[in-house]
Amino acid sequence: GNSVTQMEGPVTLSEEAFLTINCTYTATGYPSLFWYVQYPGEGLQLLLKATKADDKGSNKGFEATYRKETTSFHLEKGSVQVSDSAVYFCAPQLPTGNQFYFGTGTSLTVIP
Amino acid sequence: EAGVAQSPRYKIIEKRQSVAFWCNPISGHATLYWYQQILGQGPKLLIQFQNNGVVDDSQLPKDRFSAERLKGVDSTLKIQPAKLEDSAVYLCASSTRGVMGETQYFGPGTRLLVL
């Protein structure tokens, strides 16, 4: 079946620390891969995406690379800021019907 | 460009009552989605529309949930009768054509509490 496993939170980091949030998936076919972010009190927003193997999505200093061989799409940022505090969702998008499968979300808190 | 609009933002009802949520997608977006997000979980797709037709409703509990998009623009999701386990945030999203690789844009959600 289709599923996504996301690193459990909550994660607490100091400002300027390095961030990695792991995401692995199982899917029928060849999905597109997305990271969505939910800031406190706001709706889900697209953070970045990659649609084929070895593609790197990037936005706001965040990066993730589509690794087909390990079925992973780990999110990284070299230096986090307090404003990055949010819940991050990994979401493979299936090739049939473009349905998303969301992970459970990883809560990140960055402290000054 | 205006985003996806949803109303109400919050709703509290007692079990066995009925409730309806409304969504207005981004102008020109043919595809509309309803998701249920239970606390501590990721969103789960309930139903997907392409214009005014249903593409996927395999995870919609049809004995109590219904949704429509009569004119291919805004949509309503109804629960009748509600159960305690329906307490969740109901998210509406839209996309241009509903094809893979395309971003879905989410509304702020309606938070439902069933007592």
Side-chain angles (χ1 to χ4, degrees):
Chain A
N2 303 303
S3 66
V4 54
T5 301
Q6 191 174 335
M7 178 174 140
E8 286 191 19
V11 174
T12 302
L13 294 174
S14 296
E15 207 165 20
E16 300 183 2
F18 183 85
L19 169 71
T20 299
I21 300 178
N22 291 336
C23 172
T24 57
Y25 65 91
T26 58
T28 304
Y30 198 11
S32 293
L33 300 174
F34 290 69
W35 278 98
Y36 275 83
V37 59
Q38 190 168 33
Y39 297 103
E42 299 184 18
L44 284 164
Q45 302 174 26
L46 174 69
L47 180 59
L48 53 83
K49 66 180 181 181
T51 58
K52 59 183 187 294
D54 300 324
D55 267 4
K56 178 186 285 187
S58 61
N59 185 28
K60 299 181 181 181
F62 291 88
E63 292 183 341
T65 301
Y66 192 143
R67 302 290 187 197
K68 183 183 177 185
E69 63 278 8
T70 55
T71 62
S72 65
F73 194 52
H74 304 321
L75 182 68
E76 296 182 337
K77 185 173 185 180
S79 176
V80 293
Q81 305 301 312
V82 172
S83 57
D84 294 327
S85 297
V87 180
Y88 293 82
F89 292 92
C90 181
Q93 186 186 46
L94 300 183
T96 53
N98 74 293
Q99 179 180 129
F100 277 116
Y101 276 86
F102 281 89
T104 54
T106 300
S107 175
L108 170 67
T109 300
V110 180
I111 55 177
Chain B
E1 173 179 85
V4 176
Q6 289 188 248
S7 67
R9 292 295 307 275
Y10 305 92
K11 191 73 177 179
I12 301 174
I13 62 172
E14 295 186 348
K15 61 183 179 183
R16 292 188 289 272
Q17 286 187 323
S18 302
V19 65
F21 313 128
W22 174 82
C23 172
N24 191 10
I26 292 173
S27 177
H29 280 196
T31 313
L32 185 148
Y33 314 79
W34 282 102
Y35 290 85
Q36 180 192 57
Q37 185 176 15
I38 293 172
L39 186 65
Q41 299 181 18
K44 182 186 79 171
L45 180 70
L46 292 175
I47 189 167
Q48 176 183 344
F49 291 95
Q50 185 73 18
N51 296 308
N52 60 349
V54 175
V55 174
D56 184 351
D57 64 356
S58 57
Q59 299 189 87
L60 187 73
K62 298 180 187 63
D63 57 333
R64 298 184 300 105
F65 286 66
S66 64
E68 60 183 15
R69 194 185 183 199
L70 293 176
K71 297 181 179 179
V73 180
D74 55 356
S75 175
T76 56
L77 176 69
K78 296 180 182 178
I79 307 175
Q80 180 179 10
K83 293 185 175 181
L84 297 177
E85 58 261 36
D86 298 332
S87 294
V89 177
Y90 291 85
L91 298 167
C92 180
S94 70
S95 64
T96 309
R97 294 178 294 135
V99 297
M100 198 179 74
E102 195 174 69
T103 299
Q104 293 182 20
Y105 296 88
F106 285 81
T110 296
R111 188 175 299 273
L112 174 67
L113 178 60
V114 182
L115 302 175

